[in-house]
Amino acid sequence: MTWTALRWVWRLEAPLFVGMPPAGVLNRCRPYVPARVLWGAVTAEISRSRNGESFPDYGKLGWETALNCRFTYLFPAEKRGDKFLAWMPKFERMRGVQWYCHGGEESLSDRDFRRRLLDSRPGTAIAPESDSASEGTLRETECINPWWRDSNCQGETNAMLLLGYVFLRNNGFRRQLDNIDTLFVGGDTRYGLGKICRVGWHEVSGDLSVFGKRVHLDREHPEIQSDILWGHALEGGQHQIQGIQGVKELLGGWDQGSPWRGALTWAPGSFLERSTAWSIDNYGYWMHQDKR
């Protein structure tokens, strides 16, 4: 095997903000943690632990991490009994995005799911001349709550967990990842947001499945056989994606200190009528491998 697959589960210890396009004065939050966010957080943590008091070489370590580690997205999960059950998105005709738990045994609409998951925090800028709220700056920021909201107020409230997978090339970086118990992910981490603590970490064996889908570990990149996207996929990738349905998003950002040109992508939950092979690239984007 070229790659080793491990499953990790994190408990959210503080509100988590991962931004997406705003709606008016509301800074909206994604209901999952993208792989690129995890790559940045892991790179920062390993760099600081290696360098002591000297300034870390984030660029070099980031390149090494991207080459040897591949991350799936972290999706919200609950612990029921001794099992960790993840909630996964799927786009459906006439219904939009639906969220399914444990392979489809339970489902919620995107609106109901976000209601259970998210809360908002008000904020404003302070005008220095008056020491009061600056006009026109009042806003709200959505965050994932550390606890699931019980929509019926009748059951127990469960801790918010985040579940995903890591692939390691020839088991590289295994020791570094073994030593990471706490990470800070997403936005506003300097204000205490985004603290997650690891509560589960083990190697995947047996049927070698990821989120219930078959995975191949003997290829150049880890490959998942799936009819549903659980990461962003570039629309204009090496192989065109025929027959896909779902939601498109324009993604952009910064890469090693330089602005990254925006690219049109298919969002998590988009689907195909048939199962096909997807590889995961250096920054967690899904790449279509079927040439048909």
Side-chain angles (χ1 to χ4, degrees):
M1 293 288 184
T2 305
W3 299 89
T4 301
L6 299 105
R7 189 180 79 162
W8 55 8
V9 183
W10 300 83
R11 185 180 62 243
L12 185 59
E13 296 283 343
L16 167 64
F17 173 67
V18 180
M20 60 187 301
V25 297
L26 178 65
N27 294 323
R28 295 193 298 159
C29 178
R30 296 185 184 278
Y32 50 79
V33 180
R36 190 178 174 86
V37 173
L38 280 173
W39 163 73
V42 168
T43 297
E45 184 64 27
I46 296 176
S47 297
R48 291 163 189 158
S49 64
R50 275 187 181 183
N51 289 273
E53 296 182 357
S54 60
F55 190 79
D57 188 346
Y58 292 114
K60 180 182 177 183
L61 204 288
W63 181 83
E64 293 176 0
T65 304
L67 190 65
N68 292 284
C69 307
R70 304 295 164 83
F71 304 97
T72 69
Y73 288 27
L74 292 180
F75 288 99
E78 295 178 87
K79 186 176 184 181
R80 298 180 186 176
D82 58 349
K83 294 183 178 179
F84 297 105
L85 307 179
W87 285 83
M88 311 295 294
K90 183 183 179 184
F91 181 84
E92 296 181 349
R93 297 188 189 93
M94 308 301 291
R95 300 180 69 193
V97 175
Q98 303 289 309
W99 289 82
Y100 288 91
C101 180
H102 194 41
E105 294 181 4
E106 296 178 42
S107 67
L108 287 173
S109 67
D110 189 53
R111 179 178 180 179
D112 288 340
F113 184 72
R114 294 177 72 89
R115 183 185 302 161
R116 284 200 64 195
L117 198 73
L118 301 176
D119 203 349
S120 65
R121 302 161 61 89
T124 188
I126 301 297
E129 65 276 9
S130 62
D131 201 24
S132 61
S134 182
E135 186 175 354
T137 62
L138 182 63
R139 61 192 182 276
E140 284 188 277
T141 301
E142 283 184 337
C143 294
I144 300 178
N145 266 324
W147 298 90
W148 285 92
R149 179 178 290 117
D150 179 13
S151 56
N152 298 321
C153 300
Q154 294 177 351
E156 293 185 5
T157 302
N158 293 327
M160 178 62 64
L161 304 174
L162 298 165
L163 187 151
Y165 295 84
V166 187
F167 302 99
L168 303 179
R169 187 192 297 272
N170 298 321
N171 245 334
F173 278 74
R174 177 64 184 267
R175 181 180 299 177
Q176 291 92 328
L177 292 185
D178 281 344
N179 293 331
I180 296 177
D181 294 321
T182 302
L183 280 177
F184 288 86
V185 297
D188 285 348
T189 55
R190 292 186 177 181
Y191 295 94
L193 300 188
K195 181 182 179 182
I196 58 176
C197 296
R198 195 168 62 193
V199 296
W201 173 243
H202 73 269
E203 189 169 327
V204 176
S205 57
D207 63 353
L208 289 179
S209 65
V210 166
F211 296 123
K213 304 294 185 183
R214 180 76 180 171
V215 61
H216 302 281
L217 303 177
D218 54 353
R219 314 285 166 79
E220 174 62 21
H221 306 282
E223 284 189 12
I224 298 174
Q225 194 75 26
S226 176
D227 55 346
I228 308 175
L229 274 173
W230 285 322
H232 285 90
L234 300 175
E235 189 197 34
Q238 185 177 5
H239 304 306
Q240 294 297 316
I241 309 172
Q242 302 293 334
I244 190 170
Q245 300 181 52
V247 179
K248 290 182 180 178
E249 282 188 298
L250 183 65
L251 294 186
W254 291 83
D255 190 6
Q256 307 285 353
S258 302
W260 178 48
R261 185 178 178 182
L264 197 60
T265 63
W266 290 97
S270 301
F271 76 100
L272 290 161
E273 294 293 347
R274 57 184 174 80
S275 180
T276 188
W278 302 89
S279 66
I280 298 178
D281 76 357
N282 293 12
Y283 300 113
Y285 298 114
W286 285 37
M287 307 295 289
H288 191 227
Q289 295 299 302
D290 195 335
K291 299 180 181 179
R292 290 178 295 177

